[in-house]
Amino acid sequence: MRPSPSLQFLRPYARVPVRNAAAFPHLHRGQLSQRRPFHLARQQELEQASALKYPRIRNDVGEIMRIPDFRAKYQDIRQGVVAEEEITVRGRVESVRRAGSKLVFIDLRSEFENVQGLCNLGKLVDGTTSSGLKNLARLLNRGDIISVTGKATRTQTGELSIQATQLPEVLTPSLVPRPEKVEDTLHRHIDMLANRRTVDILRLRSYIIRYLRDFFHQCNFLEFQTPILSGNAGGAVARPFTVHAEAVSKGVSLRIAPELWLKRLVIGGVDRVFELGPAFRNEGIDQTHNPEFTICEFYQAYANLQDLITITQDLIRGVAEHCAELISNGTLSSLAEISDLSVYQQPFQQAEFIPTLQEKLGFTFPDLTSPSAHEDLLSLLESHSIPPFDGQDNTALPLPKLLDKLAERYIEPLSLRSPLFITHHPVIMSPLSKSFLCPLTKQHISARTELFIKGKELANMYEEENDPFAQREKFAEQIRQKDVEAGQKLEVDESFCYALASGLPPTGGWGCGVERLVMLMAGTGRISEVLSFGNLRNVVVGGSNISVTGTVGESKGEEGGEGKKRE
């Protein structure tokens, strides 16, 4: 057999530095340049045994069965009974154990479920010899992907197994030793193989996304996809990513939110519409923010703020109950149970923005629509000895951001006990929302609410501004207040105002960051754990030549018996 070329990444103790190491100050020197314990010995061992092969799948090996289907079909098979039909299962080797020279146990895993393969020399009908079985046990490694053909049985210790009738076939050998425990890795596929919790969090994300889609479909919403690239990124206050599009010979922006496009669809006659898709904001990375994230938005014609609150409570309650069931029934067994579902059962608490702040701060707000509102509020904060935010000079914050900081400090912590709707923000904070004069505070406020749970914003919703003249004025006021991020265009979105002129029905709109929802249900405080490949830093570094730090354990040729404790 002609030897295979040595693979660059398998050179023993190859030291490969990461490019642009200065861009990743959070990584220590050992991570940026390490000796990689990937040996050529494994490749050479397989070559010498003529086992370094990647065969095509064959379907002439009995009935092909998924491991979950195998477990479901034969769950009631009795000890000592061997099924008549011959089937084939495929999966990744978790462990290999020898019990003498004529018996080998192989733990297989596929689709998050395990089954035991039982290779008894006396039951193999394909002419396999004792040395052939021994060689297989010696060659198999944890992580190899194999095919086992045989018959279902249950051993004397009660373990559901497939008793091989043919020597198992290696479909894909694993050339890289798999760590027993990952200490620090930027290679998510290895993290998923080594840590059950990592993959269970990502599975939970998938279940939640499916639940969201099912919920909206059951409520007669239609799902649409809207543009990701456009001439201007609107619908939120955020710095966009910009690229040059050769097709139109001009700069375009990646969307920061799908809002304005979805409202155009409502204008076009789609009374109930939602979208689940990516959004991009060219901003920093922290525990709860990533420049690329997934957003869910819906718009419903003829829905008011109370309708949105009711829908939100039903949705969050349903998601929590669904996730609790997935965890308690063992589907996502590594995740901590949702301890108190009762907080989602009762109506969520509500706090009005201005009255709550006035009570907390001990003074009455000035007219927040007056030209001097910013200076008047700063003067009141100073006279009442309100400390600055994060060491910043309060005067450097535009009025909308100053109000947002006040809510962050004094209102949002009320959500630590139970879910909280913060309602009726000042109109200056909500340029896309309908507004009205509050009879209690005499302030111009928006028909808007935000949902906070455990101190974190989860959803934002409001009655959409459908007056094209008022919308244009609110865009202009937003520009006057400089309530935009660097890189975001300072201009009125005339195209959207023109669309409103065709008639947007009274509409309720809602948006939720999917990652925040998954973090809440998974009980994790890091957004990187609910993203398939981590945050942007993980993605950029993970695409470089960086190694995995972990503890590698031996799992082949291990002496032991059937039913030995699995990981």
Side-chain angles (χ1 to χ4, degrees), residues 498-528:
Y498 178 77
L500 287 180
S502 294
L504 173 67
T507 297
W510 181 94
C512 172
V514 171
E515 285 79 13
R516 294 277 183 91
L517 183 56
V518 179
M519 289 170 65
L520 173 67
M521 297 302 162
T524 178
R526 295 195 301 169
I527 193 172
S528 60

PDB file of all heavy atoms in Angstrom, residues 498-528:
ATOM      1  N   TYR A 498     -41.752  57.454   3.081  1.00  0.00           N
ATOM      2  CA  TYR A 498     -42.577  57.362   1.869  1.00  0.00           C
ATOM      3  C   TYR A 498     -43.428  56.095   1.913  1.00  0.00           C
ATOM      4  O   TYR A 498     -44.608  56.103   1.515  1.00  0.00           O
ATOM      5  CB  TYR A 498     -41.674  57.354   0.636  1.00  0.00           C
ATOM      6  CG  TYR A 498     -42.431  57.215  -0.665  1.00  0.00           C
ATOM      7  CD1 TYR A 498     -43.110  58.297  -1.212  1.00  0.00           C
ATOM      8  CD2 TYR A 498     -42.479  55.997  -1.342  1.00  0.00           C
ATOM      9  CE1 TYR A 498     -43.814  58.181  -2.409  1.00  0.00           C
ATOM     10  CE2 TYR A 498     -43.173  55.862  -2.523  1.00  0.00           C
ATOM     11  CZ  TYR A 498     -43.835  56.960  -3.062  1.00  0.00           C
ATOM     12  OH  TYR A 498     -44.541  56.829  -4.231  1.00  0.00           O
ATOM     13  N   ALA A 499     -42.861  54.994   2.417  1.00  0.00           N
ATOM     14  CA  ALA A 499     -43.631  53.751   2.531  1.00  0.00           C
ATOM     15  C   ALA A 499     -44.808  53.937   3.485  1.00  0.00           C
ATOM     16  O   ALA A 499     -45.918  53.453   3.235  1.00  0.00           O
ATOM     17  CB  ALA A 499     -42.732  52.614   3.006  1.00  0.00           C
ATOM     18  N   LEU A 500     -44.585  54.655   4.593  1.00  0.00           N
ATOM     19  CA  LEU A 500     -45.668  54.901   5.546  1.00  0.00           C
ATOM     20  C   LEU A 500     -46.820  55.668   4.910  1.00  0.00           C
ATOM     21  O   LEU A 500     -47.979  55.523   5.314  1.00  0.00           O
ATOM     22  CB  LEU A 500     -45.148  55.684   6.758  1.00  0.00           C
ATOM     23  CG  LEU A 500     -44.270  54.932   7.762  1.00  0.00           C
ATOM     24  CD1 LEU A 500     -43.849  55.876   8.883  1.00  0.00           C
ATOM     25  CD2 LEU A 500     -44.985  53.720   8.333  1.00  0.00           C
ATOM     26  N   ALA A 501     -46.517  56.477   3.906  1.00  0.00           N
ATOM     27  CA  ALA A 501     -47.559  57.270   3.250  1.00  0.00           C
ATOM     28  C   ALA A 501     -48.584  56.390   2.539  1.00  0.00           C
ATOM     29  O   ALA A 501     -49.706  56.836   2.275  1.00  0.00           O
ATOM     30  CB  ALA A 501     -46.925  58.255   2.266  1.00  0.00           C
ATOM     31  N   SER A 502     -48.204  55.128   2.261  1.00  0.00           N
ATOM     32  CA  SER A 502     -49.158  54.210   1.640  1.00  0.00           C
ATOM     33  C   SER A 502     -50.119  53.608   2.655  1.00  0.00           C
ATOM     34  O   SER A 502     -51.086  52.949   2.274  1.00  0.00           O
ATOM     35  CB  SER A 502     -48.417  53.079   0.909  1.00  0.00           C
ATOM     36  OG  SER A 502     -47.691  53.592  -0.200  1.00  0.00           O
ATOM     37  N   GLY A 503     -49.847  53.812   3.941  1.00  0.00           N
ATOM     38  CA  GLY A 503     -50.765  53.382   4.978  1.00  0.00           C
ATOM     39  C   GLY A 503     -50.328  52.149   5.744  1.00  0.00           C
ATOM     40  O   GLY A 503     -50.504  51.027   5.257  1.00  0.00           O
ATOM     41  N   LEU A 504     -49.745  52.352   6.921  1.00  0.00           N
ATOM     42  CA  LEU A 504     -49.435  51.252   7.841  1.00  0.00           C
ATOM     43  C   LEU A 504     -50.573  51.155   8.836  1.00  0.00           C
ATOM     44  O   LEU A 504     -50.866  52.114   9.544  1.00  0.00           O
ATOM     45  CB  LEU A 504     -48.113  51.511   8.578  1.00  0.00           C
ATOM     46  CG  LEU A 504     -47.746  50.521   9.692  1.00  0.00           C
ATOM     47  CD1 LEU A 504     -47.451  49.138   9.119  1.00  0.00           C
ATOM     48  CD2 LEU A 504     -46.547  51.028  10.508  1.00  0.00           C
ATOM     49  N   PRO A 505     -51.271  50.023   8.903  1.00  0.00           N
ATOM     50  CA  PRO A 505     -52.342  49.898   9.895  1.00  0.00           C
ATOM     51  C   PRO A 505     -51.777  50.082  11.308  1.00  0.00           C
ATOM     52  O   PRO A 505     -50.567  49.908  11.515  1.00  0.00           O
ATOM     53  CB  PRO A 505     -52.849  48.463   9.715  1.00  0.00           C
ATOM     54  CG  PRO A 505     -52.203  47.933   8.501  1.00  0.00           C
ATOM     55  CD  PRO A 505     -51.022  48.767   8.180  1.00  0.00           C
ATOM     56  N   PRO A 506     -52.603  50.440  12.277  1.00  0.00           N
ATOM     57  CA  PRO A 506     -52.119  50.421  13.663  1.00  0.00           C
ATOM     58  C   PRO A 506     -51.508  49.045  13.948  1.00  0.00           C
ATOM     59  O   PRO A 506     -52.167  48.015  13.807  1.00  0.00           O
ATOM     60  CB  PRO A 506     -53.388  50.665  14.484  1.00  0.00           C
ATOM     61  CG  PRO A 506     -54.301  51.395  13.554  1.00  0.00           C
ATOM     62  CD  PRO A 506     -54.017  50.834  12.196  1.00  0.00           C
ATOM     63  N   THR A 507     -50.244  49.036  14.314  1.00  0.00           N
ATOM     64  CA  THR A 507     -49.478  47.778  14.358  1.00  0.00           C
ATOM     65  C   THR A 507     -48.665  47.692  15.637  1.00  0.00           C
ATOM     66  O   THR A 507     -48.080  48.681  16.086  1.00  0.00           O
ATOM     67  CB  THR A 507     -48.539  47.685  13.137  1.00  0.00           C
ATOM     68  OG1 THR A 507     -49.328  47.651  11.943  1.00  0.00           O
ATOM     69  CG2 THR A 507     -47.658  46.447  13.192  1.00  0.00           C
ATOM     70  N   GLY A 508     -48.616  46.501  16.200  1.00  0.00           N
ATOM     71  CA  GLY A 508     -47.736  46.220  17.323  1.00  0.00           C
ATOM     72  C   GLY A 508     -46.516  45.466  16.840  1.00  0.00           C
ATOM     73  O   GLY A 508     -46.629  44.515  16.058  1.00  0.00           O
ATOM     74  N   GLY A 509     -45.329  45.898  17.287  1.00  0.00           N
ATOM     75  CA  GLY A 509     -44.079  45.249  16.886  1.00  0.00           C
ATOM     76  C   GLY A 509     -43.296  44.775  18.085  1.00  0.00           C
ATOM     77  O   GLY A 509     -43.373  45.362  19.179  1.00  0.00           O
ATOM     78  N   TRP A 510     -42.512  43.713  17.898  1.00  0.00           N
ATOM     79  CA  TRP A 510     -41.839  43.034  19.004  1.00  0.00           C
ATOM     80  C   TRP A 510     -40.508  42.480  18.524  1.00  0.00           C
ATOM     81  O   TRP A 510     -40.401  41.967  17.401  1.00  0.00           O
ATOM     82  CB  TRP A 510     -42.745  41.909  19.468  1.00  0.00           C
ATOM     83  CG  TRP A 510     -42.330  41.040  20.611  1.00  0.00           C
ATOM     84  CD1 TRP A 510     -42.664  41.202  21.915  1.00  0.00           C
ATOM     85  CD2 TRP A 510     -41.552  39.824  20.549  1.00  0.00           C
ATOM     86  NE1 TRP A 510     -42.159  40.166  22.677  1.00  0.00           N
ATOM     87  CE2 TRP A 510     -41.473  39.313  21.859  1.00  0.00           C
ATOM     88  CE3 TRP A 510     -40.932  39.132  19.513  1.00  0.00           C
ATOM     89  CZ2 TRP A 510     -40.779  38.147  22.165  1.00  0.00           C
ATOM     90  CZ3 TRP A 510     -40.239  37.958  19.808  1.00  0.00           C
ATOM     91  CH2 TRP A 510     -40.165  37.481  21.123  1.00  0.00           C
ATOM     92  N   GLY A 511     -39.482  42.582  19.374  1.00  0.00           N
ATOM     93  CA  GLY A 511     -38.182  42.016  19.042  1.00  0.00           C
ATOM     94  C   GLY A 511     -37.520  41.380  20.249  1.00  0.00           C
ATOM     95  O   GLY A 511     -37.645  41.877  21.380  1.00  0.00           O
ATOM     96  N   CYS A 512     -36.816  40.281  20.012  1.00  0.00           N
ATOM     97  CA  CYS A 512     -36.153  39.544  21.090  1.00  0.00           C
ATOM     98  C   CYS A 512     -34.837  38.981  20.574  1.00  0.00           C
ATOM     99  O   CYS A 512     -34.784  38.413  19.474  1.00  0.00           O
ATOM    100  CB  CYS A 512     -37.052  38.414  21.591  1.00  0.00           C
ATOM    101  SG  CYS A 512     -36.278  37.277  22.777  1.00  0.00           S
ATOM    102  N   GLY A 513     -33.776  39.145  21.358  1.00  0.00           N
ATOM    103  CA  GLY A 513     -32.501  38.522  21.018  1.00  0.00           C
ATOM    104  C   GLY A 513     -32.535  37.053  21.400  1.00  0.00           C
ATOM    105  O   GLY A 513     -32.730  36.713  22.578  1.00  0.00           O
ATOM    106  N   VAL A 514     -32.360  36.184  20.423  1.00  0.00           N
ATOM    107  CA  VAL A 514     -32.461  34.742  20.681  1.00  0.00           C
ATOM    108  C   VAL A 514     -31.394  34.281  21.668  1.00  0.00           C
ATOM    109  O   VAL A 514     -31.659  33.460  22.553  1.00  0.00           O
ATOM    110  CB  VAL A 514     -32.375  33.964  19.355  1.00  0.00           C
ATOM    111  CG1 VAL A 514     -32.260  32.461  19.615  1.00  0.00           C
ATOM    112  CG2 VAL A 514     -33.592  34.261  18.494  1.00  0.00           C
ATOM    113  N   GLU A 515     -30.184  34.818  21.539  1.00  0.00           N
ATOM    114  CA  GLU A 515     -29.108  34.393  22.442  1.00  0.00           C
ATOM    115  C   GLU A 515     -29.451  34.709  23.900  1.00  0.00           C
ATOM    116  O   GLU A 515     -29.182  33.905  24.798  1.00  0.00           O
ATOM    117  CB  GLU A 515     -27.790  35.077  22.059  1.00  0.00           C
ATOM    118  CG  GLU A 515     -27.122  34.512  20.819  1.00  0.00           C
ATOM    119  CD  GLU A 515     -27.756  35.005  19.530  1.00  0.00           C
ATOM    120  OE1 GLU A 515     -28.549  35.975  19.584  1.00  0.00           O
ATOM    121  OE2 GLU A 515     -27.464  34.437  18.462  1.00  0.00           O
ATOM    122  N   ARG A 516     -30.053  35.875  24.145  1.00  0.00           N
ATOM    123  CA  ARG A 516     -30.427  36.228  25.519  1.00  0.00           C
ATOM    124  C   ARG A 516     -31.449  35.228  26.077  1.00  0.00           C
ATOM    125  O   ARG A 516     -31.384  34.837  27.242  1.00  0.00           O
ATOM    126  CB  ARG A 516     -31.030  37.638  25.540  1.00  0.00           C
ATOM    127  CG  ARG A 516     -30.056  38.746  25.180  1.00  0.00           C
ATOM    128  CD  ARG A 516     -29.216  39.158  26.377  1.00  0.00           C
ATOM    129  NE  ARG A 516     -28.335  40.257  26.044  1.00  0.00           N
ATOM    130  CZ  ARG A 516     -28.664  41.541  26.200  1.00  0.00           C
ATOM    131  NH1 ARG A 516     -29.855  41.862  26.673  1.00  0.00           N
ATOM    132  NH2 ARG A 516     -27.799  42.489  25.884  1.00  0.00           N
ATOM    133  N   LEU A 517     -32.387  34.830  25.224  1.00  0.00           N
ATOM    134  CA  LEU A 517     -33.416  33.878  25.661  1.00  0.00           C
ATOM    135  C   LEU A 517     -32.794  32.523  25.981  1.00  0.00           C
ATOM    136  O   LEU A 517     -33.138  31.882  26.989  1.00  0.00           O
ATOM    137  CB  LEU A 517     -34.483  33.746  24.577  1.00  0.00           C
ATOM    138  CG  LEU A 517     -35.686  32.857  24.882  1.00  0.00           C
ATOM    139  CD1 LEU A 517     -36.391  33.295  26.158  1.00  0.00           C
ATOM    140  CD2 LEU A 517     -36.653  32.849  23.704  1.00  0.00           C
ATOM    141  N   VAL A 518     -31.868  32.082  25.143  1.00  0.00           N
ATOM    142  CA  VAL A 518     -31.205  30.794  25.385  1.00  0.00           C
ATOM    143  C   VAL A 518     -30.348  30.867  26.652  1.00  0.00           C
ATOM    144  O   VAL A 518     -30.329  29.927  27.460  1.00  0.00           O
ATOM    145  CB  VAL A 518     -30.353  30.382  24.172  1.00  0.00           C
ATOM    146  CG1 VAL A 518     -29.653  29.048  24.439  1.00  0.00           C
ATOM    147  CG2 VAL A 518     -31.206  30.271  22.917  1.00  0.00           C
ATOM    148  N   MET A 519     -29.648  31.985  26.838  1.00  0.00           N
ATOM    149  CA  MET A 519     -28.834  32.154  28.049  1.00  0.00           C
ATOM    150  C   MET A 519     -29.690  32.038  29.302  1.00  0.00           C
ATOM    151  O   MET A 519     -29.307  31.392  30.278  1.00  0.00           O
ATOM    152  CB  MET A 519     -28.132  33.517  28.017  1.00  0.00           C
ATOM    153  CG  MET A 519     -27.011  33.634  27.005  1.00  0.00           C
ATOM    154  SD  MET A 519     -26.429  35.336  26.804  1.00  0.00           S
ATOM    155  CE  MET A 519     -25.737  35.652  28.426  1.00  0.00           C
ATOM    156  N   LEU A 520     -30.861  32.657  29.258  1.00  0.00           N
ATOM    157  CA  LEU A 520     -31.759  32.615  30.413  1.00  0.00           C
ATOM    158  C   LEU A 520     -32.173  31.184  30.725  1.00  0.00           C
ATOM    159  O   LEU A 520     -32.110  30.737  31.885  1.00  0.00           O
ATOM    160  CB  LEU A 520     -32.987  33.485  30.131  1.00  0.00           C
ATOM    161  CG  LEU A 520     -34.112  33.422  31.175  1.00  0.00           C
ATOM    162  CD1 LEU A 520     -33.649  34.037  32.494  1.00  0.00           C
ATOM    163  CD2 LEU A 520     -35.359  34.141  30.651  1.00  0.00           C
ATOM    164  N   MET A 521     -32.598  30.450  29.704  1.00  0.00           N
ATOM    165  CA  MET A 521     -33.108  29.101  29.931  1.00  0.00           C
ATOM    166  C   MET A 521     -31.992  28.101  30.231  1.00  0.00           C
ATOM    167  O   MET A 521     -32.203  27.107  30.923  1.00  0.00           O
ATOM    168  CB  MET A 521     -33.921  28.639  28.716  1.00  0.00           C
ATOM    169  CG  MET A 521     -35.154  29.492  28.457  1.00  0.00           C
ATOM    170  SD  MET A 521     -36.253  29.517  29.882  1.00  0.00           S
ATOM    171  CE  MET A 521     -37.278  30.956  29.516  1.00  0.00           C
ATOM    172  N   ALA A 522     -30.791  28.355  29.703  1.00  0.00           N
ATOM    173  CA  ALA A 522     -29.660  27.442  29.952  1.00  0.00           C
ATOM    174  C   ALA A 522     -28.964  27.755  31.266  1.00  0.00           C
ATOM    175  O   ALA A 522     -28.139  26.960  31.736  1.00  0.00           O
ATOM    176  CB  ALA A 522     -28.661  27.510  28.800  1.00  0.00           C
ATOM    177  N   GLY A 523     -29.259  28.910  31.851  1.00  0.00           N
ATOM    178  CA  GLY A 523     -28.617  29.280  33.106  1.00  0.00           C
ATOM    179  C   GLY A 523     -27.162  29.646  32.951  1.00  0.00           C
ATOM    180  O   GLY A 523     -26.350  29.413  33.845  1.00  0.00           O
ATOM    181  N   THR A 524     -26.808  30.245  31.802  1.00  0.00           N
ATOM    182  CA  THR A 524     -25.432  30.663  31.584  1.00  0.00           C
ATOM    183  C   THR A 524     -25.356  32.171  31.458  1.00  0.00           C
ATOM    184  O   THR A 524     -26.303  32.814  30.995  1.00  0.00           O
ATOM    185  CB  THR A 524     -24.844  30.011  30.310  1.00  0.00           C
ATOM    186  OG1 THR A 524     -23.503  30.498  30.110  1.00  0.00           O
ATOM    187  CG2 THR A 524     -25.663  30.364  29.078  1.00  0.00           C
ATOM    188  N   GLY A 525     -24.237  32.743  31.878  1.00  0.00           N
ATOM    189  CA  GLY A 525     -24.065  34.191  31.808  1.00  0.00           C
ATOM    190  C   GLY A 525     -23.192  34.638  30.664  1.00  0.00           C
ATOM    191  O   GLY A 525     -22.905  35.829  30.543  1.00  0.00           O
ATOM    192  N   ARG A 526     -22.778  33.699  29.794  1.00  0.00           N
ATOM    193  CA  ARG A 526     -21.871  34.066  28.702  1.00  0.00           C
ATOM    194  C   ARG A 526     -22.515  33.785  27.358  1.00  0.00           C
ATOM    195  O   ARG A 526     -22.896  32.648  27.060  1.00  0.00           O
ATOM    196  CB  ARG A 526     -20.557  33.279  28.815  1.00  0.00           C
ATOM    197  CG  ARG A 526     -19.757  33.620  30.068  1.00  0.00           C
ATOM    198  CD  ARG A 526     -18.343  33.104  29.957  1.00  0.00           C
ATOM    199  NE  ARG A 526     -18.312  31.655  29.761  1.00  0.00           N
ATOM    200  CZ  ARG A 526     -17.226  30.971  29.418  1.00  0.00           C
ATOM    201  NH1 ARG A 526     -16.104  31.621  29.186  1.00  0.00           N
ATOM    202  NH2 ARG A 526     -17.277  29.667  29.276  1.00  0.00           N
ATOM    203  N   ILE A 527     -22.577  34.809  26.525  1.00  0.00           N
ATOM    204  CA  ILE A 527     -23.207  34.654  25.219  1.00  0.00           C
ATOM    205  C   ILE A 527     -22.419  33.685  24.342  1.00  0.00           C
ATOM    206  O   ILE A 527     -22.987  33.005  23.489  1.00  0.00           O
ATOM    207  CB  ILE A 527     -23.365  36.026  24.522  1.00  0.00           C
ATOM    208  CG1 ILE A 527     -24.308  35.909  23.311  1.00  0.00           C
ATOM    209  CG2 ILE A 527     -22.020  36.604  24.123  1.00  0.00           C
ATOM    210  CD1 ILE A 527     -24.670  37.241  22.689  1.00  0.00           C
ATOM    211  N   SER A 528     -21.112  33.589  24.556  1.00  0.00           N
ATOM    212  CA  SER A 528     -20.294  32.698  23.729  1.00  0.00           C
ATOM    213  C   SER A 528     -20.727  31.246  23.868  1.00  0.00           C
ATOM    214  O   SER A 528     -20.545  30.446  22.947  1.00  0.00           O
ATOM    215  CB  SER A 528     -18.808  32.837  24.089  1.00  0.00           C
ATOM    216  OG  SER A 528     -18.596  32.506  25.453  1.00  0.00           O
TER     217      SER A 528
END
